[in-house]
């Protein structure tokens, strides 16, 4: 039986997209994106520019903290999340992955275009029985929520062979059937997260979203976890409800729903309030990166199981060089 959505998530199955050949492309693109996305914070009413905290300066301009940008080593495509609290469960997941016929799954993911191709696929000596490398390109930028008020930006993968989604769906089905992966009642959305304000810390807000936009997270840990997989999953679920809610809002109600917390204010405001993940208006960024090419012909080299929570990479002097997810000795190479 698959673990429940409320189970403590510990691992995830994914396709790494960072390798020796793709790294230079991603580094260049992330540097450009960081330059465009990170805006210096504006003076707040409590700063020297407004010593009396006057009303002349209402909410300061929103700035996106640098911590919201995901590091190079954390980029990947999540196939599904898992709750593997015991060594027995982890070993079962490892064994399942190791015993999968990845070549066959990749071949099955591509429908033959003709009867002749179908016969060739069944011939062990045919070159058609050896799948071509799975190459992905990453273009454009999308928001997990309404662009006017979002906390997650991501890049969808492009696969010109049409094999990526059927292949990943097949993998997810195998793990779910064995009770090793959380069963989710929504379509798969493969994506590489490049910005998540969860990492920038929560902020105080005195405003509340309209009832149509108030939805519980996908699981108990989604609002507190330091890992994006639970936050992204909650974001996908919220996106559906949020669009429905916004469609029913007009005039002042819709403008109220787009009010943002002050990212420069870490002190609790007077009156009722609660800490929330910072949201911002991403419309300008989405427009600028609508046709941006992040990386092309990225070869998917393996399927792997990783631990939740990116680990910091340190040099010999203790300086942080970056972050990446730890593979738990469970990966299989793609042809």
């Amino acid at each position: 039986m698959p673990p429940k959505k409320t189970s403590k998530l510990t691992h995830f199955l994914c396709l790494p997209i960072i390798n020796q050949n793709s790294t230079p492309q991603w580094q260049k693109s992330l540097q450009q994106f960081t330059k465009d996305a990170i805006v210096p914070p504006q003076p707040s009413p409590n700063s020297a520019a407004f010593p009396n905290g006057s009303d002349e300066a209402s909410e300061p301009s929103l700035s996106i903290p640098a911590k919201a940008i995901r590091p190079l080593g954390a980029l990947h495509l999540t196939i599904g999340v898992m709750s593997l609290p015991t060594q027995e469960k982890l070993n079962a997941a490892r064994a399942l992955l190791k015993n999968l016929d990845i070549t066959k799954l990749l071949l099955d993911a591509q429908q033959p275009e003709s009867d002749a191709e179908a016969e060739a696929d069944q011939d062990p000596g045919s070159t058609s029985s050896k799948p071509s490398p799975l190459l992905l390109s990453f273009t454009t930028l999308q928001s997990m929520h309404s662009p006017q008020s979002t906390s997650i930006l991501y890049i969808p993968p492009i696969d010109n062979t049409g094999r990526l989604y059927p292949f990943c769906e097949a993998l997810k089905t195998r793990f779910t059937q064995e009770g090793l992966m959380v069963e989710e009642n929504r379509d798969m959305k493969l994506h590489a997260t490049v910005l998540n304000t969860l990492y920038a810390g929560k902020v105080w807000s005195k405003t509340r979203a309209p009832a149509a936009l108030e939805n519980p997270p996908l699981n108990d840990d989604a609002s507190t976890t330091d890992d994006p997989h639970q936050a992204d999953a909650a974001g996908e679920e919220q996106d559906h409800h949020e669009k429905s809610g916004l469609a029913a809002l007009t005039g002042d109600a819709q403008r109220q729903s787009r009010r943002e917390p002050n990212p420069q204010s870490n002190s609790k405001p007077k009156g009722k309030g609660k800490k929330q993940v910072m949201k911002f208006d991403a419309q300008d960024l989405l427009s600028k990166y609508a046709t941006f090419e992040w990386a092309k012909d990225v070869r998917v080299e393996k399927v792997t199981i990783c631990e939740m929570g990116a680990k910091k990479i340190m040099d010999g002097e203790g300086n942080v060089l970056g972050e990446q997810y730890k593979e738990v000795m469970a990966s299989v190479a793609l042809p």
Side-chain angles (χ1 to χ4, degrees), residues 198 200-208 222-224 261-263 265-269 271-279:
L198 177 69
K202 294 186 177 182
V203 293
W204 287 105
S205 173
K206 287 192 284 187
T207 62
R208 293 187 64 188
S223 60
T224 58
N262 179 353
S265 176
N266 292 319
S267 60
K268 186 174 181 179
K272 293 183 178 180
K274 63 177 181 178
K275 276 200 168 185
Q276 300 177 346
V277 173
M278 187 185 79
K279 290 195 173 185

Side-chain angles (χ1 to χ4, degrees), residues 180-196:
L180 297 170
M181 185 171 286
V182 173
E183 191 170 4
E184 298 170 306
N185 298 318
R186 64 171 182 271
D187 294 336
M188 179 181 286
K189 181 189 286 188
L190 297 172
H191 61 281
T193 300
V194 290
L195 187 153
N196 189 338

Side-chain angles (χ1 to χ4, degrees), residues 136-249:
L136 306 178
S137 294
F138 295 84
T139 305
T140 199
L141 182 66
Q142 297 182 8
S143 172
M144 194 67 74
H145 319 94
S146 168
Q148 294 92 342
S149 181
T150 188
S151 61
I152 300 173
L153 300 181
Y154 68 91
I155 316 162
I158 299 173
D159 168 32
N160 292 326
T161 68
R163 295 176 294 171
L164 178 62
Y165 270 85
F167 175 64
C168 291
E169 290 284 7
L171 287 169
K172 188 170 185 175
T173 297
R174 297 294 181 90
F175 276 82
T176 302
Q177 288 176 340
E178 295 297 323
L180 297 170
M181 185 171 286
V182 173
E183 191 170 4
E184 298 170 306
N185 298 318
R186 64 171 182 271
D187 294 336
M188 179 181 286
K189 181 189 286 188
L190 297 172
H191 61 281
T193 300
V194 290
L195 187 153
N196 189 338
T197 62
L198 177 69
Y199 289 94
K202 294 186 177 182
V203 293
W204 287 105
S205 173
K206 287 192 284 187
T207 62
R208 293 187 64 188
L213 302 185
E214 292 185 351
N215 298 286
L218 184 61
N219 56 69
D220 291 344
D221 299 315
S223 60
T224 58
T225 180
D226 287 332
D227 190 272
H229 300 90
Q230 299 177 59
D232 285 3
E236 290 180 30
E237 182 109 328
Q238 181 184 3
D239 184 41
H240 170 74
H241 297 292
E242 186 171 281
K243 288 177 180 177
S244 301
L246 280 174
L249 299 174

Side-chain angles (χ1 to χ4, degrees), residues 61-79:
S61 299
L62 182 72
S63 64
I64 303 174
K67 289 183 178 181
I69 305 294
R70 301 306 298 130
L72 176 70
L75 299 184
H76 60 274
L77 301 176
T78 300
I79 298 172

Side-chain angles (χ1 to χ4, degrees), residues 307-324:
E307 286 183 358
M308 288 284 187
K311 306 296 189 295
K312 295 185 184 300
I313 305 172
M314 316 288 284
D315 63 14
E317 299 179 355
N319 299 313
V320 179
L321 301 179
E323 295 181 28
Q324 67 181 22

